[in-house]
Amino acid sequence: MPNVAFLTLLDPEISGWILEHVPAGWNVDTLSLDIPDRKKIEHIKKADFLLLFPEEISNNVLEHAQHIKLVQLLSAGYDLLDIGRCNELKIPVANVGGANAVDVAEYAVTLMLSFYRHIIEQNHMGRTGNWDFAVPNRDYFTIQGKEVGIVGLGKIGKHVAKLVTAFGAKVTYYDINRLPVEQEAAISVTYAPLDELVRKSDIISLHTPLTPETRHLIGANQFALMKPTALLVNTCRGDVIDEQAMITALQEQKILGAALDVLSQEPPPMDHPIRKKNNVILTPHIAGRTRDTYSRRGEFVFQNMQRVWEGKPPLALVTD
């Protein structure tokens, strides 16, 4: 029966939710990602599968993964892993296959609503006994009637589109792989080139993987095109945005604000200027983390590894 090396920084209780889906007879060694490389190598040499969360492991360790049939990630993102080196070593890599799509999509919409309705400020006012409006009514907005621009229409982006459409928004999207027109019509989205999308959107929500092509995809040129009432939401990867350009746009009030679950450096330094912006919501990269998601992820990753063990190709293969 197969051996799985599970390298993670997750709390043991959370790891347990994932391990509930281990097939009968499989052996899983759960190890901390903090252990030295030599210890990782000892386990990986004996393993058939490598399960990772977060997706960070040195090339030195990968060099010893002679018997690894699949590096299976518990995340959607894969930018911390050297995919090119994995390709050279002929080790396939799969991500979580959208098992966290619902969680991230709901969180993205939560950020939109929290910013539009000033939930954080209102919570503070309510708790401190001040029942006056914390923010003038003119600064409250609804999603209904707005144009939401989605950058990256994968599983997460499609679910965001479904949710905001239910709120009464119009959805425009940009993706390097445009959908057939009939599929666009079926999910009520309209394609637009990136610059057109950022120019006309009231809310811009980012859902693209971080690749060389998407690094700083949203930069000074895009901020210059945005409406002064535009809200930028990022739940994918920090480096998809040129942070300095964003800080300048926020400081000069070229856009309404930003709601961010990710930054280029996490956690950001205490003196990071983004911490001081009143027109920013900042949360610590938790969009995809719910009690529900770990069960879904566990089910998917072990089913995927079982496919490979049975000689079938893996799902959610990462090729970049």
Side-chain angles (χ1 to χ4, degrees):
M1 299 301 287
N3 293 305
V4 180
F6 180 17
L7 296 176
T8 185
L9 295 177
L10 287 171
D11 178 273
E13 182 181 12
I14 298 175
S15 295
W17 300 337
I18 294 162
L19 296 174
E20 289 174 359
H21 299 277
V22 176
W26 284 41
N27 178 59
V28 179
D29 289 328
T30 304
L31 309 161
S32 172
L33 263 175
D34 287 337
I35 63 175
D37 276 3
R38 60 181 176 80
K39 289 288 188 182
K40 294 174 186 172
I41 290 168
E42 287 177 15
H43 289 270
I44 286 174
K45 280 183 174 180
K46 301 179 292 183
D48 300 290
F49 297 96
L50 175 58
L51 181 59
L52 282 177
F53 190 79
E55 72 283 10
E56 187 171 8
I57 195 163
S58 71
N59 284 348
N60 178 48
V61 175
L62 287 173
E63 301 289 339
H64 295 84
Q66 299 98 328
H67 303 297
I68 295 293
K69 296 173 174 60
L70 178 69
V71 174
Q72 175 64 65
L73 309 179
L74 270 164
S75 59
Y78 48 84
D79 48 287
L80 298 179
L81 183 66
D82 189 340
I83 301 297
R85 187 59 185 140
C86 289
N87 290 337
E88 291 170 2
L89 294 169
K90 301 189 185 309
I91 304 172
V93 179
N95 70 7
V96 80
N100 65 338
V102 169
D103 313 272
V104 178
E106 287 185 0
Y107 197 85
V109 176
T110 298
L111 288 175
M112 298 174 197
L113 290 167
S114 296
F115 191 97
Y116 263 12
R117 305 302 293 271
H118 296 275
I119 300 299
I120 295 171
E121 297 96 323
Q122 300 305 340
N123 175 67
H124 175 73
M125 297 296 281
R127 288 177 179 274
T128 56
N130 187 343
W131 290 87
D132 293 332
F133 293 112
V135 181
N137 287 349
R138 66 177 180 273
D139 292 328
Y140 288 77
F141 301 92
T142 62
I143 292 176
Q144 184 180 24
K146 300 299 187 295
E147 181 147 346
V148 177
I150 296 175
V151 179
L153 201 71
K155 290 187 178 180
I156 297 171
K158 287 175 182 174
H159 199 71
V160 171
K162 178 181 178 181
L163 293 175
V164 297
T165 298
F167 275 96
K170 178 182 177 183
V171 178
T172 303
Y173 82 97
Y174 167 76
D175 196 293
I176 56 172
N177 297 310
R178 181 176 177 178
L179 295 178
V181 174
E182 59 273 16
Q183 290 186 28
E184 293 176 349
I187 59 175
S188 301
V189 299
T190 303
Y191 175 83
L194 179 62
D195 285 356
E196 180 183 340
L197 180 148
V198 299
R199 179 181 56 79
K200 66 182 185 178
S201 295
D202 300 293
I203 302 171
I204 301 156
S205 195
L206 306 181
H207 303 286
T208 181
L210 178 62
T211 67
E213 293 72 31
T214 62
R215 186 176 297 274
H216 291 186
L217 184 67
I218 307 299
N221 291 340
Q222 286 69 45
F223 284 108
L225 294 171
M226 292 181 192
K227 297 179 179 180
T229 54
L231 169 63
L232 179 63
V233 178
N234 191 8
T235 54
C236 59
R237 288 293 186 266
D239 277 329
V240 172
I241 299 173
D242 180 338
E243 271 186 15
Q244 188 52 58
M246 176 177 64
I247 290 167
T248 298
L250 290 166
Q251 187 158 345
E252 296 179 358
Q253 297 184 331
K254 291 181 179 178
I255 62 173
L256 181 67
L260 310 169
D261 187 52
V262 289
L263 289 173
S264 295
Q265 181 180 348
E266 298 175 0
M270 291 305 298
D271 61 351
H272 195 298
I274 205 72
R275 291 182 182 270
K276 302 173 184 177
K277 301 300 178 190
N278 292 329
N279 52 348
V280 172
I281 293 177
L282 182 61
T283 61
H285 203 149
I286 58 169
R289 301 195 182 197
T290 66
R291 171 63 180 87
D292 304 288
T293 191
Y294 291 111
S295 181
R296 288 195 298 269
R297 295 188 202 201
E299 182 177 18
F300 175 83
V301 300
F302 281 105
Q303 286 180 353
N304 206 29
M305 286 186 279
Q306 191 160 30
R307 282 177 58 88
V308 174
W309 186 249
E310 294 170 354
K312 302 172 185 176
L315 302 175
L317 197 63
V318 174
T319 57
D320 294 328

